[in-house]
Amino acid sequence: MFNSAVRFLKWLCPGSDSTFSKTNEKHIYPCFVELINFVAELVVRPLLGQQPTSFDEKPKRLVRSYRKTDVKPDNAEGRRRIDMALKCDALHYNNMSDDDEYDEDSIQFSEERLKAKDGRNDERPNYSRIFAVVEVKPDTSAANIEKGLAQLVEYSKGVYWNQHNRRFIWGLVSGGSNVKACILGPNFLLASQFMDVTTAAGRLELIGFLVNWSFCELPKLGYDPTIRFNRVHKCFTIDMADSNESKLTQTTYYLRKIVVFAERVFGRHTRCFVVGRQPPSLEAKSDNSGDILIKDAWPEVSGSAEDDMRDESKLLERVSNGLAGRSEFNGMYPKFLGGGRMQIQNARGESVDDTTRTILGETVWSQLGDLPLRAHMRIAMSGVGEPLKTIQSIPELIVVIYDVMRCHMGILKHCQILHRDISEANILVRRDGTGVHGMLIDFDHAISITDDGYAKHAERTGTVPFMSVSNLENLQPKRTSLDDWESIIYILCWLGTFGWNRATRQSDSVANINIASWD
């Protein structure tokens, strides 16, 4: 420990080493690594040879730094290199048996674990295990700090892409000897004041962050504790709370495939999982129980779950009930199985809605003005299709579009719901023994209509290339089904110009025409 302290003291005590420059990033890297790992060792050292009587007295994990710095993480796309990365190592205290299904390592939801590979290399960062990204700059100039924050955002994409249970991400940005702690959520990036590690107060603040990360509850790290790795069945499980006859029950689904990944740092963070009701190892080959889709997202919401008129789970439940018994629409829409707003335990052990407000806390939230509220939604539905690009001919395209708009009008007539986001991504292809069929999905933007067929709210919404002119330009006329029919025309123009898959794509020959600028 003494040697470790010597290596980072030259960062904390300017002038103690004439060869060290706090404005040289490469000089700071090893010092920062040693400081973080030194704190981790101090956190666990009092426990050696002892057994604290209360679980609350124990650190739940160690937050340590990977040794390699200025490096391209494993499973990273492109050549981008991150300065540093932190990881969490769970502490077990020898109280787990081989029969225990879960431990805190279950939070490491990654392709590495799906493929049964070892992702625990202490030296090189791996996006499947990175807890926080660290960016180091030579000074605290506005340009350098802004660049560091931008890099933090860029590199966090790799974390979201590889860790499918991340609700938000922590990060650190250092300008010389000054460090900012950052938190990135679905629609915010917040940074603390500078913590100057050359001062006692600054060191105390930074060490406080590191120690708190070791002791705090799992959700405060940004992980979702309802998505875990099952050690017995060697697969991931996803828990859902369902309301059944006024009694709250929980259903556990077993992951079979990930079909939609979170691709951006900000936004809905939509992820989709194909799941089954039993572990894959127990399902018969002919069992179709895996034909269930779970959609996990962070949409904007208004008020409480009871008052939110845009709640997709409620709208999809209305669609399922309204079209129940109408066999002509079977397979053309996802059938609601359960779900809604996710809940999480707060510091007092109470179950509260998992929202951006809950993440940040009341004190911080009250200072953010008009930041839209986003809530963690999870919906289970039956019916899984394939992307529109899987159609094989123009006749198949005609059938798919016909089914989708037939379903659209059925929902409008029998459920009084207008979809409002007819787009290429929201049309799926489904194949069965009778041929090819179309399927309309994603009711994120759907809304109830009045008796005369108008949407109750006329805000601009949808997918830009396919929005109606009235919608796109935010004109006064109220939204009706004609706006969605106009979207279909634009989809057909788009597909007719660019093709619907790689084999029919014609992007080179149409790059300079007006339609190319729609996107």
Side-chain angles (χ1 to χ4, degrees):
M1 289 184 69
F2 175 78
N3 291 334
S4 176
V6 168
R7 284 192 288 270
F8 67 72
L9 279 176
K10 55 188 175 183
W11 182 39
L12 308 187
C13 305
S16 61
D17 185 341
S18 60
T19 65
F20 175 81
S21 172
K22 69 174 185 178
T23 60
N24 186 318
E25 295 179 24
K26 295 187 183 299
H27 285 193
I28 297 174
Y29 295 156
C31 296
F32 211 158
V33 169
E34 293 296 344
L35 174 61
I36 291 169
N37 291 343
F38 180 81
V39 172
E41 190 167 347
L42 289 179
V43 165
V44 76
R45 181 167 288 269
L47 299 175
L48 299 179
Q50 301 181 37
Q51 278 295 326
T53 57
S54 168
F55 185 80
D56 290 336
E57 297 174 5
K58 303 178 184 179
K60 298 176 177 62
R61 65 197 70 83
L62 292 184
V63 176
R64 298 188 294 173
S65 174
Y66 288 95
R67 291 280 175 190
K68 284 192 177 294
T69 58
D70 188 24
V71 64
K72 174 186 171 183
D74 290 342
N75 56 24
E77 292 186 1
R79 298 183 178 181
R80 292 183 178 272
R81 304 162 72 89
I82 64 175
D83 291 344
M84 292 171 52
L86 310 185
K87 62 190 180 74
C88 293
D89 290 323
L91 297 172
H92 301 308
Y93 301 104
N94 300 317
N95 61 352
M96 288 191 64
S97 72
D98 291 337
D99 295 328
D100 289 332
E101 291 192 349
Y102 301 104
D103 59 61
E104 184 165 299
D105 272 348
S106 304
I107 68 177
Q108 305 300 345
F109 187 148
S110 65
E111 295 301 304
E112 301 291 336
R113 295 195 71 159
L114 285 175
K115 298 173 183 175
K117 291 183 178 179
D118 182 14
R120 299 179 178 276
N121 190 318
D122 284 341
E123 299 295 326
R124 189 182 187 88
N126 185 312
Y127 270 131
S128 298
R129 298 201 68 231
I130 288 175
F131 159 62
V133 177
V134 182
E135 281 301 307
V136 177
K137 298 301 168 192
D139 56 53
T140 59
S141 67
N144 272 328
I145 297 303
E146 184 176 336
K147 182 179 179 181
L149 292 172
Q151 289 175 317
L152 200 65
V153 170
E154 181 65 28
Y155 302 147
S156 293
K157 293 179 183 177
V159 178
Y160 278 123
W161 178 267
N162 286 278
Q163 299 180 29
H164 313 293
N165 62 343
R166 285 306 287 267
R167 300 160 49 244
F168 60 89
I169 297 174
W170 286 97
L172 297 172
V173 174
S174 170
S177 59
N178 291 274
V179 182
K180 281 180 177 285
C182 307
I183 182 171
L184 297 88
N187 59 342
F188 58 80
L189 165 56
L190 301 179
S192 70
Q193 298 295 318
F194 280 118
M195 297 173 279
D196 186 351
V197 297
T198 66
T199 68
R203 290 193 293 273
L204 183 61
E205 284 187 282
L206 178 58
I207 292 171
F209 262 103
L210 299 175
V211 173
N212 184 59
W213 282 338
S214 294
F215 281 84
C216 71
E217 297 301 322
L218 190 60
K220 291 184 178 179
L221 295 179
Y223 294 99
D224 182 348
T226 65
I227 300 180
R228 302 171 293 169
F229 186 76
N230 186 298
R231 298 168 64 239
V232 173
H233 297 296
K234 294 181 171 54
C235 67
F236 285 94
T237 61
I238 303 176
D239 295 336
M240 288 198 53
D242 302 306
S243 180
N244 183 15
E245 296 180 357
S246 301
K247 180 181 180 182
L248 193 65
T249 59
Q250 180 170 286
T251 302
T252 296
Y253 295 96
Y254 295 85
L255 179 70
R256 299 181 64 169
K257 184 167 63 173
I258 306 161
V259 292
V260 175
F261 295 73
E263 298 181 281
R264 301 177 181 177
V265 175
F266 303 118
R268 293 172 178 268
H269 286 177
T270 301
R271 300 172 171 108
C272 293
F273 311 104
V274 178
V275 301
R277 296 182 185 275
Q278 293 184 320
S281 58
L282 301 181
E283 289 181 345
K285 290 184 178 180
S286 59
D287 187 2
N288 293 322
S289 61
D291 198 28
I292 297 173
L293 186 82
I294 287 182
K295 178 180 178 180
D296 190 280
W298 286 79
E300 289 187 11
V301 297
S302 55
S304 65
E306 293 75 18
D307 301 328
D308 188 6
M309 301 302 295
R310 298 185 298 179
D311 187 326
E312 185 182 10
S313 64
K314 293 179 181 178
L315 291 168
L316 190 56
E317 185 173 19
R318 276 177 54 192
V319 169
S320 297
N321 292 337
L323 298 185
R326 300 183 183 278
S327 58
E328 66 269 29
F329 300 114
N330 283 350
M332 296 182 187
Y333 64 96
K335 294 185 178 180
F336 179 79
L337 298 178
R341 286 196 193 183
M342 295 296 293
Q343 293 200 320
I344 209 148
Q345 284 195 337
N346 62 16
R348 297 183 295 276
E350 303 164 335
S351 292
V352 295
D353 287 347
D354 189 12
T355 66
T356 47
R357 184 173 186 167
T358 304
I359 291 172
L360 297 175
E362 291 298 329
T363 301
V364 175
W365 183 261
S366 64
Q367 301 174 29
L368 296 180
D370 297 328
L371 183 70
L373 179 67
R374 288 183 178 267
H376 187 188
M377 304 285 294
R378 186 173 294 164
I379 306 171
M381 59 195 86
S382 65
V384 178
E386 299 175 323
L388 188 58
K389 65 182 180 182
T390 60
I391 58 173
Q392 299 172 4
S393 65
I394 291 178
E396 283 194 353
L397 174 62
I398 293 172
V399 170
V400 168
I401 296 297
Y402 171 80
D403 282 351
V404 163
M405 293 314 292
R406 181 182 173 202
C407 179
H408 172 275
M409 295 308 291
I411 292 171
L412 193 72
K413 177 181 178 180
H414 301 294
C415 311
Q416 290 74 52
I417 292 174
L418 182 64
H419 190 278
R420 297 200 307 169
D421 189 18
I422 303 296
S423 65
E424 185 181 15
N426 291 338
I427 297 174
L428 295 186
V429 178
R430 191 177 58 82
R431 299 179 187 276
D432 59 22
T434 64
V436 65
H437 306 279
M439 188 176 189
L440 180 62
I441 64 166
D442 199 344
F443 290 79
D444 273 343
H445 297 284
I447 197 167
S448 298
I449 59 171
T450 60
D451 292 338
D452 53 2
Y454 293 107
K456 292 186 177 181
H457 301 281
E459 71 267 21
R460 184 167 53 184
T461 187
T463 303
V464 173
F466 314 116
M467 291 165 64
S468 69
V469 172
S470 178
N471 186 9
L472 187 64
E473 298 186 359
N474 206 20
L475 302 179
Q476 288 303 312
K478 296 179 180 179
R479 307 290 178 259
T480 70
S481 61
L482 292 180
D483 290 279
D484 285 356
W485 279 100
E486 188 175 334
S487 294
I488 277 291
I489 294 174
Y490 298 145
I491 290 175
L492 294 175
C493 290
W494 184 274
L495 298 177
T497 303
F498 294 108
W500 54 81
N501 55 32
R502 187 171 297 177
T504 60
R505 195 68 65 187
Q506 305 177 49
S507 55
D508 292 339
S509 61
V510 297
N512 297 320
I513 65 175
N514 289 337
I515 193 174
S517 65
W518 284 9
D519 195 2

